Amino acid sequence: MSLYDLDRAALAAALVGQPRYRCDQVWDGLYRRAAPLDQLTDLPAAMRDALSAAHPGALTQAARSTADGGNTVKWLWSLHDGERIETVLMHYPRRTTVCVSTQAGCAMACDFCATGQAGFARNLTAGEILEQVVQARQSAHPRRVDNVVFMGMGEPMANFDRTWQAVERLTADMGLSARSLTISTVGLTPGIRRMAELELPVNLAVSLHAANDELRTRLVPINRRYPIADLMDACAHYVRSRRRRLSFEWALIDGVNDRGDDAQELAALCAPLRAHVNLIPLNPTGGFMTRGSPPQRVQAFAEHLRQLGVNATVRANRGSDIDAACGQLSAATPMAPPTRR
Ligand code: SAH
């Protein structure tokens, strides 16, 4: 079990026989400094060795690729049971964001998403989620990781408790503000409602992609269970109770959801919630043959939304040449990674 899966009481138990202050020292090292055990040289070596023997790191690097001149880094990790996940670190001129996975695979089966095409393996533990942030922090050094987005492999709301445990550690112990965290969901309304009851003002992103039930059920099968009216009701509840910005993600698919009617339907859903729209030009994946909207259509769709009073931005496609962009994470071993260390 990852050291990051232990709460303070469990860590104290793992340090039985040591003076009390050692527990605080280790906790501080793991979270505030976010340093690997072997760098916590203020701890006795024998203690570090015993801890790392009992709780080896959860993530073993299977591959590391970079793109965008080194500003995008993707890791493929293998877990203790052989499952694989990916993490993406993105440096922008004024901020650095890490995108973490919450499950190995995904059970939501959205056709256009590589993770959905591959199917579900298992939930990640909070420690496995947190270690992705720790690794990214070390790699980013001396830059800081400003934002954590739960937008990697898996559906965070289908692994709610462990995802939330990671959120609490990131805010209470690692010093990130809840405002710098974003949880993205395919639209599991019970999860959105639960999140609305919790104290931390985390940003909520909803992968909408279609604004009518017929089309949305085709693209996002779970819509059959949680149709748009229910989803909008849960979103309204979140916006009212947490006062955080809501955004809708919309992958633009050629001739499918990029027409004038689509923009109008979408704008009608956004207005009462003052939702922001993140347009994602569809990234190619092996199992979905429909193309993304051409660039002019993406711009025209964004412009149309703006004319309808919607705040819309087009998301930059970071790392698409190393299959690190939205919807491309499948934890497949790269054939010839551009860089590998
Ligand atoms: N399961 C969660 C977290 C994943 S976030 C969710 O669905 O929100 C990944 C985002 O990329 C989601 O908005 C997803 O719908 C989007 N996406 C999936 N496949 C894509 C593709 N091929 N091109 C662009 N975006 C895609």
Side-chain angles (χ1 to χ4, degrees):
M1 192 198 267
S2 163
L3 265 181
Y4 289 89
D5 277 312
L6 305 183
D7 60 17
R8 264 178 194 269
L11 181 62
L15 293 172
V16 66
Q18 299 283 347
R20 281 268 296 281
Y21 68 87
R22 288 291 187 209
C23 183
D24 295 335
Q25 218 179 349
V26 174
W27 192 267
D28 183 73
L30 291 176
Y31 290 100
R32 197 182 52 75
R33 290 164 62 190
L37 267 183
D38 58 5
Q39 284 177 22
L40 301 180
T41 47
D42 47 339
L43 300 173
M47 192 179 129
R48 280 185 271 137
D49 292 347
L51 269 182
S52 63
H55 303 281
L59 310 177
T60 304
Q61 183 177 306
R64 181 182 188 274
S65 337
T66 61
D68 307 313
N71 285 322
T72 302
V73 184
K74 181 176 87 163
W75 288 270
L76 170 65
W77 307 110
S78 76
L79 308 178
H80 68 87
D81 56 358
E83 293 301 341
R84 290 172 162 224
I85 57 162
E86 295 183 314
T87 306
V88 183
L89 176 67
M90 292 157 285
H91 293 295
Y92 299 92
R94 284 196 308 275
R95 69 197 150 91
T96 292
T97 298
V98 61
C99 175
V100 298
S101 295
T102 54
Q103 299 181 312
C106 185
M108 297 298 120
C110 305
D111 272 349
F112 55 91
C113 175
T115 313
Q117 290 159 17
F120 177 69
R122 70 166 170 87
N123 284 324
L124 299 189
T125 68
E128 288 168 331
I129 299 170
L130 287 164
E131 284 197 26
Q132 296 173 65
V133 179
V134 171
Q135 293 279 356
R137 268 178 69 151
Q138 278 158 23
S139 164
H141 188 80
R143 288 196 255 191
R144 293 194 348 208
V145 170
D146 305 290
N147 303 302
V148 178
V149 298
F150 294 79
M151 295 188 181
M153 297 172 71
E155 168 50 43
M157 299 286 185
N159 187 18
F160 192 97
D161 293 332
R162 282 126 157 202
T163 297
W164 201 258
Q165 198 182 324
V167 164
E168 287 181 333
R169 290 270 191 285
L170 291 173
T171 52
D173 300 299
M174 249 179 231
L176 287 157
S177 93
R179 290 176 167 72
S180 64
L181 311 182
T182 302
I183 293 186
S184 180
T185 177
V186 71
L188 303 189
T189 58
I192 297 173
R193 293 195 171 96
R194 261 183 89 181
M195 210 167 118
E197 301 309 320
L198 298 167
E199 289 299 304
L200 295 168
V202 170
N203 300 301
L204 177 65
V206 172
S207 298
L208 195 59
H209 307 308
N212 67 73
D213 282 319
E214 197 237 303
L215 178 58
R216 189 161 195 270
T217 298
R218 262 204 289 141
L219 295 174
V220 179
I222 199 72
N223 188 70
R224 208 182 293 281
R225 187 129 139 237
Y226 305 112
I228 291 174
D230 179 34
L231 180 54
M232 293 306 121
D233 186 68
C235 288
H237 183 50
Y238 190 78
V239 170
R240 270 198 314 271
S241 65
R242 289 274 71 83
R243 302 179 182 282
R244 290 307 295 156
R245 188 173 83 172
L246 169 71
S247 52
F248 290 141
E249 289 151 289
W250 191 279
L252 280 161
I253 309 172
D254 195 17
V256 173
N257 64 356
D258 62 354
R259 297 151 307 178
D261 290 356
D262 299 302
Q264 268 166 3
E265 273 179 358
L266 170 56
L269 293 184
C270 290
L273 301 166
R274 295 158 155 262
H276 176 107
V277 173
N278 245 312
L279 297 170
I280 319 173
L282 186 82
N283 293 302
T285 57
F288 188 71
M289 288 312 144
T290 313
R291 285 172 307 142
S293 310
Q296 312 92 292
R297 190 99 52 81
V298 172
Q299 291 311 327
F301 195 86
E303 198 41 53
H304 192 169
L305 286 176
R306 289 180 196 125
Q307 278 162 12
L308 295 168
V310 177
N311 190 344
T313 47
V314 178
R315 187 178 284 175
N317 267 347
R318 278 305 187 92
S320 57
D321 50 337
I322 53 167
D323 284 347
C326 304
Q328 293 188 311
L329 303 183
S330 69
T333 307
M335 299 294 282
T339 62
R340 189 178 212 171
R341 277 178 220 153

